[in-house]
DNA sequence: CTTGACCCTCACGTCGGCGTGAAGGTTTAG
DNA sequence: CTAAACCTTCACGCCGACGTGAGGGTCAAG
Protein backbone atom coordinates (compact mmCIF):
# COMPACT_ATOMS: atom_id res chain seq x y z
CA UNK A 1 0.00 0.00 0.00
CA UNK A 2 1.33 3.45 -0.87
CA UNK A 3 1.16 6.51 1.31
CA UNK A 4 -2.01 7.99 -0.18
CA UNK A 5 -4.10 4.93 0.54
CA UNK A 6 -2.74 4.62 4.06
CA UNK A 7 -3.58 8.28 4.59
CA UNK A 8 -7.14 7.71 3.40
CA UNK A 9 -7.58 4.57 5.46
CA UNK A 10 -6.30 6.16 8.66
CA UNK A 11 -7.46 9.74 8.24
CA UNK A 12 -3.89 10.90 8.84
CA UNK A 13 -2.21 13.30 6.42
CA UNK A 14 0.61 12.12 4.21
CA UNK A 15 2.85 14.67 5.85
CA UNK A 16 2.17 13.14 9.24
CA UNK A 17 2.94 9.66 7.93
CA UNK A 18 6.28 10.85 6.56
CA UNK A 19 6.92 12.51 9.90
CA UNK A 20 6.21 9.24 11.70
CA UNK A 21 8.80 7.53 9.55
CA UNK A 22 11.28 10.31 10.27
CA UNK A 23 10.68 9.66 13.97
CA UNK A 24 11.08 5.89 13.49
CA UNK A 25 7.46 5.22 14.38
CA UNK A 26 6.91 3.48 11.05
CA UNK A 27 9.44 1.73 8.81
CA UNK A 28 7.77 1.20 5.44
CA UNK A 29 9.58 -0.75 2.71
CA UNK A 30 10.45 1.04 -0.54
CA UNK A 31 9.38 0.19 -4.04
CA UNK A 32 11.97 0.38 -6.84
CA UNK A 33 10.55 3.79 -7.67
CA UNK A 34 11.37 4.99 -4.17
CA UNK A 35 7.71 5.10 -3.14
CA UNK A 36 6.95 4.00 0.39
CA UNK A 37 5.33 0.57 0.56
CA UNK A 38 3.27 0.09 3.72
CA UNK A 39 2.12 -3.26 5.09
CA UNK A 40 -1.60 -3.82 5.84
CA UNK A 41 -0.72 -4.01 9.54
CA UNK A 42 0.46 -0.41 9.36
CA UNK A 43 -3.17 0.72 9.36
CA UNK A 44 -3.46 -0.57 12.92
CA UNK A 45 0.05 0.66 13.72
CA UNK A 46 -0.90 4.20 12.75
CA UNK A 47 -3.98 4.14 14.97
CA UNK A 48 -1.80 2.85 17.74
CA UNK A 49 0.74 5.61 17.28
CA UNK A 50 -2.00 8.22 17.18
CA UNK A 51 -3.54 7.09 20.44
CA UNK A 52 -0.17 7.14 22.16
CA UNK A 53 0.53 10.59 20.75
CA UNK A 54 -2.88 11.69 21.97
CA UNK A 55 -1.82 10.47 25.39
CA UNK A 56 0.99 12.98 25.15
CA UNK A 57 3.77 10.42 24.92
CA UNK A 58 6.83 11.88 23.21
CA UNK A 59 7.53 10.23 19.88
CA UNK A 60 10.91 8.88 20.89
CA UNK A 61 9.27 6.99 23.74
CA UNK A 62 6.69 5.60 21.34
CA UNK A 63 9.53 4.54 19.05
CA UNK A 64 11.10 2.62 21.94
CA UNK A 65 7.75 1.20 22.91
CA UNK A 66 6.45 -0.07 19.56
CA UNK A 67 8.80 -3.06 19.16
CA UNK A 68 7.67 -4.16 22.62
CA UNK A 69 4.02 -4.33 21.76
CA UNK A 70 2.47 -7.62 20.81
CA UNK A 71 0.13 -7.87 17.85
CA UNK A 72 -3.01 -7.40 19.86
CA UNK A 73 -1.61 -4.39 21.63
CA UNK A 74 -2.61 -5.94 24.90
CA UNK A 75 0.68 -5.71 26.73
CA UNK A 76 4.44 -5.65 26.45
CA UNK A 77 6.77 -8.42 25.42
CA UNK A 78 9.17 -9.82 27.98
CA UNK A 79 12.51 -8.10 28.03
CA UNK A 80 10.69 -4.80 27.66
CA UNK A 81 9.66 -4.39 31.23
CA UNK A 82 12.25 -1.63 31.50
CA UNK A 83 9.65 0.41 29.62
CA UNK A 84 7.29 0.24 32.57
CA UNK A 85 9.08 2.93 34.50
CA UNK A 86 8.83 5.65 31.82
CA UNK A 87 5.25 4.57 31.16
CA UNK A 88 4.40 5.08 34.80
CA UNK A 89 6.06 8.48 34.69
CA UNK A 90 3.88 9.40 31.75
CA UNK A 91 0.82 8.12 33.54
CA UNK A 92 1.65 10.33 36.52
CA UNK A 93 2.32 13.28 34.25
CA UNK A 94 -1.09 12.74 32.66
CA UNK A 95 -2.70 12.55 36.08
CA UNK A 96 -1.29 15.88 37.20
CA UNK A 97 -2.09 17.47 33.84
CA UNK A 98 -5.69 16.34 34.23
CA UNK A 99 -5.82 17.70 37.75
CA UNK A 100 -4.46 21.05 36.61
CA UNK A 101 -6.93 21.33 33.78
CA UNK A 102 -9.79 20.30 36.02
CA UNK A 103 -8.88 22.93 38.58
CA UNK A 104 -8.55 25.55 35.87
CA UNK A 105 -11.91 24.64 34.44
CA UNK A 106 -13.54 24.82 37.86
CA UNK A 107 -12.18 28.34 38.20
CA UNK A 108 -13.45 29.28 34.77
CA UNK A 109 -16.88 27.84 35.53
CA UNK A 110 -16.98 29.78 38.77
CA UNK A 111 -16.20 32.98 36.89
CA UNK A 112 -18.92 32.28 34.35
CA UNK A 113 -21.48 31.38 36.99
CA UNK A 114 -20.81 34.49 38.99
CA UNK A 115 -21.35 36.76 36.02
CA UNK A 116 -24.93 37.96 35.84
CA UNK A 117 -26.82 37.45 32.59
CA UNK A 118 -28.57 40.81 32.47
CA UNK A 119 -28.75 44.20 34.17
CA UNK A 120 -31.45 43.21 36.64
CA UNK A 121 -29.30 40.39 37.91
CA UNK A 122 -26.33 42.69 37.95
CA UNK A 123 -28.22 45.23 40.09
CA UNK A 124 -29.10 42.46 42.51
CA UNK A 125 -25.51 41.32 42.50
CA UNK A 126 -24.31 44.84 43.28
CA UNK A 127 -26.86 45.10 46.08
CA UNK A 128 -25.53 41.88 47.56
CA UNK A 129 -21.80 42.50 47.10
CA UNK A 130 -21.57 46.27 47.16
CA UNK A 131 -20.85 48.64 44.30
CA UNK A 132 -18.04 47.55 41.95
CA UNK B 1 7.27 48.21 43.15
CA UNK B 2 9.81 47.42 40.48
CA UNK B 3 9.99 44.29 38.37
CA UNK B 4 12.49 42.38 40.51
CA UNK B 5 10.39 42.57 43.62
CA UNK B 6 7.25 41.61 41.73
CA UNK B 7 9.15 38.65 40.29
CA UNK B 8 10.19 37.55 43.77
CA UNK B 9 6.72 37.99 45.21
CA UNK B 10 5.01 36.07 42.46
CA UNK B 11 7.63 33.48 41.59
CA UNK B 12 7.40 34.57 37.96
CA UNK B 13 10.54 35.44 36.02
CA UNK B 14 11.21 39.04 35.05
CA UNK B 15 11.21 37.96 31.45
CA UNK B 16 7.70 36.59 31.84
CA UNK B 17 6.53 39.83 33.47
CA UNK B 18 7.88 41.86 30.54
CA UNK B 19 6.18 39.43 28.23
CA UNK B 20 2.89 39.96 30.02
CA UNK B 21 3.22 43.68 29.48
CA UNK B 22 4.02 43.10 25.82
CA UNK B 23 0.79 41.11 25.60
CA UNK B 24 -1.15 43.84 27.43
CA UNK B 25 -1.79 41.61 30.41
CA UNK B 26 -0.18 44.14 32.73
CA UNK B 27 0.19 47.91 32.30
CA UNK B 28 2.72 49.08 34.86
CA UNK B 29 3.42 52.81 35.24
CA UNK B 30 6.91 54.08 34.48
CA UNK B 31 9.34 55.86 36.77
CA UNK B 32 11.31 58.86 35.42
CA UNK B 33 14.22 56.48 34.84
CA UNK B 34 12.00 54.34 32.64
CA UNK B 35 11.72 51.51 35.15
CA UNK B 36 8.41 49.70 35.36
CA UNK B 37 6.46 50.69 38.48
CA UNK B 38 3.98 48.03 39.49
CA UNK B 39 1.04 48.57 41.80
CA UNK B 40 0.63 46.30 44.84
CA UNK B 41 -2.52 44.91 43.24
CA UNK B 42 -0.36 43.57 40.43
CA UNK B 43 0.78 40.76 42.70
CA UNK B 44 -2.77 39.42 42.64
CA UNK B 45 -3.10 40.33 38.98
CA UNK B 46 -0.10 38.18 38.10
CA UNK B 47 -1.50 35.21 39.97
CA UNK B 48 -4.75 35.78 38.16
CA UNK B 49 -3.07 35.88 34.78
CA UNK B 50 -1.11 32.76 35.59
CA UNK B 51 -4.17 30.76 36.50
CA UNK B 52 -5.93 31.83 33.32
CA UNK B 53 -2.85 30.92 31.27
CA UNK B 54 -2.76 27.58 33.08
CA UNK B 55 -6.33 27.11 31.97
CA UNK B 56 -5.03 27.40 28.44
CA UNK B 57 -6.69 30.72 27.68
CA UNK B 58 -4.84 32.54 24.90
CA UNK B 59 -3.19 35.71 26.17
CA UNK B 60 -5.20 38.01 23.90
CA UNK B 61 -8.40 36.68 25.46
CA UNK B 62 -6.99 37.27 28.91
CA UNK B 63 -6.10 40.80 27.83
CA UNK B 64 -9.72 41.38 26.82
CA UNK B 65 -10.92 39.78 30.01
CA UNK B 66 -8.83 41.55 32.64
CA UNK B 67 -10.48 45.00 32.43
CA UNK B 68 -13.78 43.20 32.99
CA UNK B 69 -12.77 41.66 36.26
CA UNK B 70 -13.76 43.29 39.48
CA UNK B 71 -11.25 43.68 42.28
CA UNK B 72 -12.26 40.52 44.03
CA UNK B 73 -12.07 38.50 40.84
CA UNK B 74 -15.50 37.16 41.57
CA UNK B 75 -17.24 38.00 38.32
CA UNK B 76 -17.38 40.25 35.31
CA UNK B 77 -18.37 43.88 35.15
CA UNK B 78 -21.50 44.82 33.25
CA UNK B 79 -20.87 45.66 29.63
CA UNK B 80 -18.51 42.72 29.50
CA UNK B 81 -21.07 40.01 29.14
CA UNK B 82 -19.98 39.64 25.54
CA UNK B 83 -17.00 37.87 27.05
CA UNK B 84 -19.22 35.06 28.28
CA UNK B 85 -19.40 33.40 24.91
CA UNK B 86 -15.65 32.98 24.39
CA UNK B 87 -15.35 31.93 28.03
CA UNK B 88 -17.90 29.21 27.49
CA UNK B 89 -16.03 28.10 24.40
CA UNK B 90 -12.88 27.82 26.45
CA UNK B 91 -14.72 25.92 29.13
CA UNK B 92 -15.94 23.44 26.53
CA UNK B 93 -12.48 23.19 25.04
CA UNK B 94 -11.12 22.39 28.50
CA UNK B 95 -13.82 19.79 29.02
CA UNK B 96 -12.97 17.92 25.84
CA UNK B 97 -9.25 18.24 26.54
CA UNK B 98 -9.81 16.67 29.95
CA UNK B 99 -11.86 13.90 28.43
CA UNK B 100 -9.17 13.18 25.87
CA UNK B 101 -6.45 13.06 28.47
CA UNK B 102 -8.53 10.88 30.74
CA UNK B 103 -9.19 8.41 27.94
CA UNK B 104 -5.54 8.40 27.00
CA UNK B 105 -4.52 7.77 30.58
CA UNK B 106 -6.99 4.92 30.88
CA UNK B 107 -5.41 3.34 27.84
CA UNK B 108 -1.95 3.80 29.26
CA UNK B 109 -3.00 2.31 32.58
CA UNK B 110 -4.49 -0.66 30.76
CA UNK B 111 -1.22 -1.20 28.93
CA UNK B 112 0.74 -1.04 32.17
CA UNK B 113 -1.64 -3.35 33.99
CA UNK B 114 -1.53 -5.95 31.26
CA UNK B 115 2.23 -6.12 31.29
CA UNK B 116 3.44 -8.90 33.58
CA UNK B 117 5.96 -7.99 36.25
CA UNK B 118 8.15 -11.08 35.92
CA UNK B 119 8.72 -14.16 33.78
CA UNK B 120 6.44 -16.38 35.83
CA UNK B 121 3.58 -14.02 35.26
CA UNK B 122 4.52 -13.75 31.62
CA UNK B 123 4.41 -17.56 31.25
CA UNK B 124 0.96 -17.59 32.78
CA UNK B 125 -0.06 -14.75 30.49
CA UNK B 126 1.15 -16.70 27.43
CA UNK B 127 -0.70 -19.80 28.64
CA UNK B 128 -3.90 -17.77 28.90
CA UNK B 129 -3.60 -15.75 25.71
CA UNK B 130 -1.55 -18.02 23.47
CA UNK B 131 2.01 -17.57 22.35
CA UNK B 132 2.94 -14.03 21.33
C1' DC C 1 3.40 11.96 -26.52
C1' DT C 2 0.78 14.26 -23.01
C1' DT C 3 -2.01 14.66 -19.19
C1' DG C 4 -2.76 14.02 -14.56
C1' DA C 5 -2.67 11.39 -10.40
C1' DC C 6 0.54 10.01 -7.47
C1' DC C 7 4.91 10.07 -5.29
C1' DC C 8 9.69 11.96 -3.72
C1' DT C 9 13.02 15.13 -0.90
C1' DC C 10 14.36 19.39 0.98
C1' DA C 11 13.50 23.04 3.96
C1' DC C 12 11.26 26.85 6.03
C1' DG C 13 6.69 28.39 8.62
C1' DT C 14 3.46 27.82 12.55
C1' DC C 15 1.82 28.40 17.46
C1' DG C 16 2.59 30.07 22.63
C1' DG C 17 5.02 31.14 26.43
C1' DC C 18 8.53 32.16 27.51
C1' DG C 19 14.45 31.43 27.88
C1' DT C 20 18.60 33.50 26.90
C1' DG C 21 21.83 36.20 25.60
C1' DA C 22 23.81 41.14 23.80
C1' DA C 23 24.78 45.70 24.69
C1' DG C 24 24.03 49.17 27.35
C1' DG C 25 21.88 52.87 31.10
C1' DT C 26 20.69 53.67 36.47
C1' DT C 27 20.93 53.20 41.25
C1' DT C 28 22.94 51.78 45.47
C1' DA C 29 26.58 50.28 48.70
C1' DG C 30 31.24 50.69 50.22
C1' DC D 1 35.55 55.80 42.13
C1' DT D 2 34.18 51.14 41.50
C1' DA D 3 31.50 47.23 41.59
C1' DA D 4 27.27 45.05 42.01
C1' DA D 5 22.70 44.86 41.36
C1' DC D 6 19.35 46.57 39.27
C1' DC D 7 17.05 48.06 35.02
C1' DT D 8 16.16 48.85 29.60
C1' DT D 9 15.28 47.33 24.50
C1' DC D 10 16.22 44.21 20.67
C1' DA D 11 16.01 39.97 18.87
C1' DC D 12 16.89 35.16 18.03
C1' DG D 13 16.24 30.18 20.23
C1' DC D 14 13.25 26.46 21.79
C1' DC D 15 9.73 22.71 21.81
C1' DG D 16 6.54 19.23 18.95
C1' DA D 17 3.76 17.71 15.47
C1' DC D 18 3.07 18.69 11.81
C1' DG D 19 1.51 22.53 7.41
C1' DT D 20 2.93 24.21 3.19
C1' DG D 21 4.97 25.16 -0.66
C1' DA D 22 9.06 24.43 -4.27
C1' DG D 23 10.87 21.71 -7.60
C1' DG D 24 11.07 17.75 -9.16
C1' DG D 25 10.46 12.08 -10.49
C1' DT D 26 7.01 7.80 -11.68
C1' DC D 27 3.45 5.58 -13.92
C1' DA D 28 -0.96 4.26 -16.10
C1' DA D 29 -4.44 5.93 -19.35
C1' DG D 30 -5.87 8.12 -23.51
Amino acid sequence: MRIGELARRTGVTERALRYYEEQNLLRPARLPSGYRDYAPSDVAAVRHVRSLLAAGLPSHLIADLLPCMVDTGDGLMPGCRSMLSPLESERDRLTSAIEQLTAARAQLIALIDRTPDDDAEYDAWVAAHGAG
Side-chain angles (χ1 to χ4, degrees), chain A:
Chain A
M1 172 193 340
R2 286 173 303 178
I3 197 170
E5 188 180 349
L6 184 58
R8 258 171 273 130
R9 291 174 64 176
T10 58
V12 173
T13 67
E14 299 178 9
R15 178 64 182 90
L17 293 176
R18 295 195 189 97
Y19 173 75
Y20 295 161
E21 182 182 9
E22 190 182 322
Q23 302 298 313
N24 294 318
L25 304 182
L26 292 175
R27 296 176 177 282
R30 294 295 181 133
L31 297 170
S33 59
Y35 290 9
R36 289 170 178 82
D37 185 22
Y38 293 93
S41 63
D42 283 335
V43 175
V46 167
R47 300 217 166 98
H48 212 150
V49 164
R50 291 241 96 192
S51 70
L52 292 172
L53 281 174
L57 299 201
S59 54
H60 67 84
L61 177 58
I62 301 180
D64 292 346
L65 200 54
L66 282 180
C68 293
M69 314 213 55
V70 298
D71 292 341
T72 58
D74 268 357
L76 298 181
M77 297 293 288
C80 288
R81 287 188 288 271
S82 60
M83 299 302 300
L84 277 179
S85 169
L87 285 182
E88 285 163 355
S89 298
E90 292 298 327
R91 176 199 57 193
D92 296 344
R93 195 184 51 73
L94 272 180
T95 297
S96 62
I98 289 168
E99 283 168 0
Q100 273 227 352
L101 285 184
T102 301
R105 185 182 55 168
Q107 197 182 346
L108 196 54
I109 288 174
L111 179 60
I112 291 172
D113 286 351
R114 284 172 190 156
T115 298
D117 282 344
D118 56 35
D119 286 337
E121 280 190 46
Y122 180 72
D123 292 342
W125 180 86
V126 168
H129 290 76

